[in-house]
Amino acid sequence: MASLRREDPTFAFRIDTETGQTVISGMGELHLEILQNKLIKEKKVDVRVGKPRVAYKEAITTRARAEGKFVRQTGGRGQYGHVVLDVEPLLMAEGRWSPDIDFEAKVISGAVPKEYFHAVERGSKEALGRGVLAGYPVMGVRVTLVDGSYHSVDSSELAFEQAASLAVEKALKDAGSILLEPVMRVQVEVPEMYLGAVQSNLLGRRGSITDSRAHGTIRIIDASVPLVEMFGYSSQLRSLTAGRGTFTMEPLSYERVPDQVAKDVIL
């Protein structure tokens, strides 16, 4: 990859930490096909090429409470951790799920000592890293430690971390988990004569047109479109506009995946 980049400065690659894929980019789909052939034939690299995976997320829609208890007894010192956690959606002003995970402790009468709060937070966030629908990370959640118990000898950070993880997993199953997908802000510039075809194509990709305005003989279309629907759009746009259309896109938000589409992703 580094060798190809030295030969061709327009080629770039990166590791997507959320999907584990190596994502390559260039001047267009034909350019990427040529680079792929170079990797296989000239560099003798065995590669499997496909569309980039979409980094879906999961979220919850309702509040739920669950109890987690981790107890292990061995010949010597045992392990004991017990927590009761509330989980609830964490939303931003516009009603979208926040990208953050919040944790707070509201334990009454020292049911769980303060020195274990960080362990409970770690265990909670670890469990939120794998949702109950399809194993995608959960976003936009507030976790509250409301109760629990401890043992003066057997309790440990590890025990409370495991107890919190168990409690969050249980709570997510009762909290109305849903799948979220990345939505892109897309701007397309096309000659006036192709406006209708381009708009229809965007709508067919589950897109939403937010604005359309004229700039001389060019129409500028603003839209929001799910990322998964934008693969292959460059070639499609060239075909629709005889090569005269251009577009840019950038991340906008995460939105709920329609139920019919979510079934295919979860399977």
Side-chain angles (χ1 to χ4, degrees):
M1 292 293 206
S3 175
L4 278 181
R5 185 158 58 184
R6 285 194 296 270
E7 296 171 8
D8 184 352
T10 63
F11 167 69
F13 69 94
R14 63 182 175 84
I15 305 296
D16 190 319
T17 56
E18 293 192 348
T19 65
Q21 287 185 312
T22 299
V23 180
I24 63 174
S25 56
M27 300 298 289
E29 292 181 29
L30 178 59
H31 184 207
L32 294 181
E33 288 177 12
I34 294 171
L35 291 168
Q36 178 186 334
N37 287 331
K38 276 189 173 183
L39 276 174
I40 296 171
K41 294 179 179 178
E42 295 182 13
K43 307 297 182 183
K44 307 300 182 183
V45 177
D46 183 16
V47 295
R48 185 172 64 238
V49 181
K51 293 180 180 179
R53 293 193 190 105
V54 173
Y56 290 97
K57 303 284 188 183
E58 295 183 26
I60 59 175
T61 57
T62 61
R63 184 172 182 164
R65 174 173 291 187
E67 179 181 24
K69 184 175 284 189
F70 183 81
V71 181
R72 293 289 184 274
Q73 291 297 331
T74 60
R77 177 179 174 179
Q79 296 284 349
Y80 182 92
H82 171 221
V83 297
V84 178
L85 301 177
D86 283 345
V87 299
E88 58 185 310
L90 184 61
L91 303 176
M92 297 186 292
E94 61 270 27
R96 292 175 175 153
W97 281 267
S98 168
D100 301 323
I101 301 294
D102 276 3
F103 175 83
E104 58 183 327
K106 293 184 177 179
V107 182
I108 300 174
S109 302
V112 176
K114 289 184 178 180
E115 59 261 33
Y116 297 128
F117 286 178
H118 286 305
V120 175
E121 182 177 1
R122 284 197 306 272
S124 300
K125 290 183 176 179
E126 180 187 354
L128 290 170
R130 52 184 190 279
V132 296
L133 283 181
Y136 292 106
V138 185
M139 63 181 283
V141 177
R142 175 178 285 115
V143 180
T144 306
L145 172 63
V146 295
D147 202 359
S149 62
Y150 73 102
H151 189 280
S152 58
V153 175
D154 291 345
S155 285
S156 66
E157 288 195 0
L158 174 62
F160 273 98
E161 192 173 320
Q162 293 299 315
S165 182
L166 293 170
V168 168
E169 288 178 9
K170 292 178 185 177
L172 289 177
K173 295 176 181 178
D174 298 326
S177 290
I178 60 170
L179 197 65
L180 302 179
E181 64 182 342
V183 174
M184 310 301 286
R185 179 185 288 111
V186 180
Q187 186 174 90
V188 188
E189 296 186 8
V190 297
E192 180 79 34
M193 67 183 77
Y194 303 114
L195 177 64
V198 171
Q199 286 185 326
S200 295
N201 184 263
L202 288 171
L203 294 173
R205 294 172 179 267
R206 296 194 286 123
S208 174
I209 307 296
T210 57
D211 189 28
S212 178
R213 56 195 182 277
H215 185 73
T217 60
I218 299 296
R219 291 300 293 259
I220 301 173
I221 307 165
D222 291 324
S224 56
V225 188
L227 175 60
V228 69
E229 302 289 349
M230 289 301 293
F231 296 133
Y233 184 65
S234 178
S235 296
Q236 183 76 62
L237 183 62
R238 281 199 304 271
S239 176
L240 289 172
T241 64
R244 299 171 65 188
T246 61
F247 80 100
T248 59
M249 69 177 183
E250 60 182 12
L252 175 61
S253 64
Y254 273 86
E255 304 288 350
R256 183 171 184 169
V257 179
D259 291 341
Q260 192 57 46
V261 178
K263 288 178 182 177
D264 296 333
V265 176
I266 293 171
L267 290 176

